[in-house]
């Protein structure tokens, strides 16, 4: 018998990639940074992360139920949001504040706009900014690594970013005593939010995602590259200053894990380059000229909002298409 | 009897179904600016309501006298007189409220709700109907402001009408007092009211931008539409 010819509508080639698989890769990529933050900030960091993840999943489940939509808890995107949100918080943050953060990220930013793929800004990033504006003191309590994060009077310190904000023209000699060494910056022995301190773990995670083709390298590299070039000029050529700026703050976390969020970044290469450069420029401008020590979160949110316009600008021309001429009749009318 | 029923409808439509703030999206600026506390929200709501009722009555009474071409300036003069009266009364008897509302009290003159109701209702209907419409819209406006003010003050400052609420007053979420929080609360309240109105079987109110707009009759877009139809 002859083989039957099956006629069906496109798509004909299906990828084995699933949302769950991608999210699982992101979780794997975040594990090294998670381990390092538990090493530095103790068990409380792990508990706080668990609270964030659990509350994100619960809020996702409840809001899908209430909105009578099919449940998307299984795709693990809420787990990723919870992890990234936790990485953006200081280790001493009260648990209920973290739960409010999850509520904002999942219910307000993600589900109210239609769930996964429909949010116009990064949920975790927005939650961090809202928490920062709402609870400025609790959200700026950066503890020194290896101290008791459970106690209310844990030793706090200025983050390297806050110290660097006072530096004029890249001359670090006046503040060297207040800054951790560059090696400490790389492995994360300095104050900061839980997940952002250990740059090397984040870079390893980011490279894993690039190797697995989960994220494209364009956004992280243009983002970090723009900051590097800007800082080279702002620091009048002091390489040390550039290194501190790159390793400090949330740059690595933001560039690899948050700016690359699928639903809030441009689709094609040209758009990605514009997006990365924009993020880098806004971050640098806030760090150098703004009153805030750190600008990664605001830069990503601002560029998220511009993504539809970037997409419009960079829509590729179909092969052989001619630029549409203005119809003559219209001009007369 | 029919007349009475109609008046009742004019009164109640302003509260939910045609709530000026949450359904017609008019008067957004004073809504966001004055709802940082319950006290100033109620103050703003009442002041605007008084002006709305009075101006509706006067504009309706003069609707056959005012020439069509200069009606907007004429309405503004009428509204401005009432705003001046209200402002003087508030300054004399409630100076603290005057301080809280600041520039938004005199700005009632250009409040879209008042001009919008004058254009959309008062210049077509009788004096009594216009007064009732103004009262209903005023109640709707005040209720919406009160709700927003309550949510923003309770969470943003941890107080209600100035009295502290345990726990919340120690950990206020500042963002509720700030403009972005105002927009959040506004949007969520709008969604809730739309839901209530729809569950009552009422269709989502069309954003009758042109009809409510004071420039409707002279606007180029509208003229074109009228000509086409």
């Amino acid at each position: 018998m002859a083989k039957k010819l099956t006629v069906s509508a496109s798509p004909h080639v299906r990828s084995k990639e699933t949302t769950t698989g991608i999210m699982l890769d992101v979780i794997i990529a975040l594990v090294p940074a998670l381990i390092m933050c538990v090493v530095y900030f103790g068990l409380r960091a792990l508990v706080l992360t668990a609270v964030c993840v659990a509350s994100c999943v619960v809020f996702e489940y409840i809001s899908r139920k209430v909105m009578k939509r099919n449940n998307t808890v299984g795709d693990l995107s809420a787990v990723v949001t919870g992890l990234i949100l936790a990485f953006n918080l200081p280790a001493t943050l009260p648990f209920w504040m973290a739960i409010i953060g999850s509520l904002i990220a999942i219910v307000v930013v993600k589900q109210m706009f239609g769930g996964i793929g429909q949010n116009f800004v990064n949920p975790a990033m927005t939650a961090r900014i809202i928490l920062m504006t709402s609870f400025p003191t609790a959200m700026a309590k950066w503890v020194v690594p290896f101290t008791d994060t459970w106690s209310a009077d844990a030793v706090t310190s200025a983050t390297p970013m806050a110290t660097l904000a006072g530096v004029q023209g890249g001359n670090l000699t006046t503040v060297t005593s207040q800054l951790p060494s560059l090696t400490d910056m790389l492995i994360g022995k300095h104050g900061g939010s839980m997940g952002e301190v250990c740059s090397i773990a984040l870079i390893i995670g980011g490279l894993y995602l690039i190797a697995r083709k989960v994220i494209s390298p364009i956004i992280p590299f243009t983002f970090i590259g723009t900051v590097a070039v800007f800082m080279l000029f702002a620091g009048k050529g002091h390489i040390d200053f550039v290194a501190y700026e790159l390793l400090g703050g949330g740059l690595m976390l933001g560039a690899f894990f948050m700016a690359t969020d699928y639903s809030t970044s441009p689709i094609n290469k040209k758009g990605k380059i514009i997006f990365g450069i924009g993020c880098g420029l806004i971050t640098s401008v806030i760090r150098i000229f703004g009153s805030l020590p750190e600008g990664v979160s605001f830069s990503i949110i601002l560029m998220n909002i511009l993504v539809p316009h970037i997409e419009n600008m960079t829509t590729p021309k179909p092969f052989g298409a001619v630029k549409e001429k203005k119809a003559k009749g219209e001009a007369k009318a | 009897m029919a007349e009475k029923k109609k008046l009742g409808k004019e009164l109640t439509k302003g509260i939910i179904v045609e709530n000026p703030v949450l359904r017609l999206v008019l008067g957004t600026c004073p809504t966001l600016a004055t709802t940082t506390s319950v006290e100033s929200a109620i103050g703003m709501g009442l002041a605007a309501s008084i002006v709305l009722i009075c101006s509706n009555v006067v504009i309706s009474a003069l609707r056959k006298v005012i020439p069509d071409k200069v009606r907007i300036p004429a309405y503004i003069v009428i509204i401005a007189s009432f705003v001046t009266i209200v402002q003087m009364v508030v300054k004399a008897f409630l100076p603290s409220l005057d301080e809280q509302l600041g520039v938004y009290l005199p700005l009632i003159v250009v409040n879209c709700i008042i001009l919008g109701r004058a254009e959309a209702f008062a210049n077509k209907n009788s004096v009594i109907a216009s007064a009732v419409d103004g009262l209903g819209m005023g109640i709707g406006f005040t209720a919406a402001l009160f709700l927003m003010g309550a949510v923003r003050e309770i969470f943003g400052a941890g107080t209600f009408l100035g009295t502290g609420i345990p726990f919340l007053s120690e950990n206020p979420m500042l963002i509720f007092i700030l403009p972005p929080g105002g927009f959040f609360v506004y949007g969520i309240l709008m969604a809730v009211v739309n839901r209530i109105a729809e569950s009552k079987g009422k269709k989502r109110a069309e954003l009758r931008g042109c009809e409510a707009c004071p420039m409707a009759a002279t606007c180029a877009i509208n003229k074109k539409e009228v000509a086409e139809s």
Side-chain angles (χ1 to χ4, degrees):
Chain A
M1 210 178 125
K3 218 177 177 185
K4 262 189 191 166
L5 195 67
T6 323
V7 181
S8 67
S10 63
H12 303 293
V13 184
R14 286 167 200 276
S15 159
K16 278 180 186 154
E17 240 171 33
T18 58
T19 312
T20 318
I22 290 171
M23 292 300 164
L24 203 61
D25 265 339
V26 178
I27 294 171
I28 293 169
L30 287 170
V31 165
L34 178 63
I35 294 170
M36 291 313 285
C37 92
V38 177
V39 170
Y40 288 132
F41 299 114
L43 204 60
R44 195 178 193 281
L46 191 65
V47 178
L48 188 59
T49 311
V51 167
C52 279
V53 172
S55 53
C56 273
V57 172
V58 169
F59 284 131
E60 171 115 343
Y61 182 79
I62 295 174
S63 48
R64 296 302 285 195
K65 267 268 139 73
V66 170
M67 292 176 183
K68 297 199 178 76
R69 292 176 178 152
N70 58 327
N71 235 309
T72 49
V73 170
D75 67 18
L76 297 180
S77 61
V79 177
V80 172
T81 304
L83 269 176
I84 293 180
L85 172 65
F87 278 16
N88 277 299
L89 306 173
T92 48
L93 196 78
F95 293 128
W96 64 269
M97 284 185 192
I99 294 173
I100 289 183
S102 307
L103 180 85
I104 295 160
I106 295 293
V107 178
V108 177
V109 183
K110 192 176 165 198
Q111 294 301 342
M112 278 191 180
F113 288 92
I116 183 169
Q118 305 289 326
N119 48 303
F120 70 105
V121 283
N122 188 308
M125 201 87 269
T126 318
R128 170 196 155 96
I129 289 177
I130 289 181
L131 287 180
M132 242 165 61
T133 17
S134 296
F135 310 111
T137 38
M139 278 296 285
K141 206 174 169 196
W142 310 118
V143 286
V144 180
F146 304 120
T147 47
D148 181 15
T149 40
W150 293 97
S151 73
D153 42 45
V155 185
T156 57
S157 72
T159 62
M161 295 323 295
T163 317
L164 284 172
V167 173
Q168 295 293 320
N171 190 359
L172 294 177
T173 43
T174 48
V175 290
T176 330
S177 56
Q178 297 163 42
L179 280 173
S181 72
L182 270 177
T183 341
D184 281 352
M185 290 292 289
L186 192 64
I187 60 167
K189 257 172 82 181
H190 60 89
S193 66
M194 293 194 327
E196 72 180 22
V197 287
C198 185
S199 299
I200 190 78
L202 291 167
I203 294 170
I204 292 169
L207 291 179
Y208 169 78
L209 286 185
I210 292 170
R212 295 275 296 165
K213 296 207 168 120
V214 170
I215 61 171
S216 132
I218 299 173
I219 291 176
F221 288 167
T222 47
F223 189 167
I224 296 168
T226 310
V227 174
V229 171
F230 195 101
M231 290 305 167
L232 200 61
F233 283 105
K236 295 191 179 127
H238 289 272
I239 297 296
D240 275 6
F241 180 72
V242 180
Y244 275 110
E245 286 286 355
L246 291 187
L247 296 174
L251 183 60
M252 293 298 162
L253 181 63
F256 282 112
F257 293 97
M258 286 183 285
T260 53
D261 179 10
Y262 289 152
S263 43
T264 56
S265 64
I267 295 168
N268 56 42
K269 279 182 193 165
K270 222 199 257 169
K272 282 190 164 90
I273 293 171
I274 297 173
F275 182 83
I277 291 175
C279 284
L281 271 182
I282 298 173
T283 303
S284 316
V285 166
I286 294 179
R287 281 187 181 181
I288 298 292
F289 302 109
S291 56
L292 289 166
E294 173 62 315
V296 170
S297 40
F298 287 102
S299 75
I300 294 175
I301 291 276
L302 286 170
M303 289 312 287
N304 279 169
I305 296 168
L306 286 181
V307 163
H309 304 292
I310 297 174
E311 300 271 46
N312 276 341
M313 266 164 45
T314 58
T315 311
K317 199 178 73 174
F319 182 68
V322 186
K323 212 176 184 186
E324 225 176 284
K325 277 180 192 163
K326 248 189 186 172
K328 275 181 186 171
E330 248 181 45
K332 272 178 194 167
Chain B
M1 195 62 203
E3 187 74 355
K4 235 183 192 174
K5 229 180 192 174
K6 216 187 136 209
L7 279 183
K9 216 182 138 202
E10 300 296 357
L11 181 69
T12 50
K13 73 168 189 233
I15 295 168
I16 284 200
V17 182
E18 278 186 41
N19 187 301
V21 181
L22 300 171
R23 294 277 281 176
L24 305 182
V25 204
L26 293 171
T28 318
C29 170
T31 306
L32 291 167
T34 61
T35 51
T36 47
S37 76
V38 177
E39 198 189 336
S40 61
I42 295 177
M44 181 70 199
L46 290 181
S49 302
I50 293 166
V51 175
L52 179 57
I53 297 167
C54 297
S55 66
N56 255 11
V57 167
V58 173
I59 288 166
S60 169
L62 296 175
R63 69 185 187 278
K64 283 171 190 147
V65 186
I66 299 171
D68 212 33
K69 273 191 178 166
V70 292
R71 67 188 194 291
I72 301 289
Y75 295 165
I76 297 277
V77 169
I78 294 166
I79 296 165
S81 345
F82 285 116
V83 170
T84 314
I85 295 168
V86 168
Q87 200 189 348
M88 283 173 168
V89 171
V90 172
K91 267 204 163 79
F93 296 102
L94 301 157
S96 67
L97 183 67
D98 180 65
E99 217 161 83
Q100 270 187 38
L101 293 178
V103 74
Y104 292 98
L105 195 55
L107 273 180
I108 296 176
V109 176
V110 284
N111 190 318
C112 321
I113 301 173
I114 295 166
L115 210 50
R117 290 328 285 178
E119 185 71 12
F121 197 91
N123 72 349
K124 295 177 197 136
N125 291 285
S126 67
V127 174
I128 295 168
S130 300
V132 173
D133 176 75
L135 181 65
M137 287 289 160
I139 294 171
F141 183 59
T142 314
L145 286 195
F146 171 76
L147 263 180
M148 271 186 72
V151 172
R152 290 181 70 184
E153 195 186 328
I154 288 172
F155 289 107
T159 57
F160 185 77
L161 280 170
T163 35
I165 295 163
F167 187 73
L168 284 174
S169 59
E170 288 136 42
N171 302 287
M173 270 189 88
L174 287 179
I175 193 138
F176 277 98
I177 295 287
L178 300 171
F183 278 104
F184 271 127
V185 177
Y186 190 19
I188 290 169
L189 268 184
M190 244 175 180
V192 170
V193 169
N194 270 344
R195 186 71 193 250
I196 295 172
E198 264 168 41
S199 72
K200 279 186 176 170
K202 300 276 201 290
K203 263 200 292 178
R204 184 169 299 200
E206 297 280 316
L207 276 184
R208 295 174 309 171
C210 281
E211 200 179 308
C213 169
M215 298 296 288
T218 46
C219 173
I221 302 168
N222 221 24
K223 264 191 181 161
K224 204 173 151 196
E225 269 174 14
V226 171
E228 274 166 4
S229 65

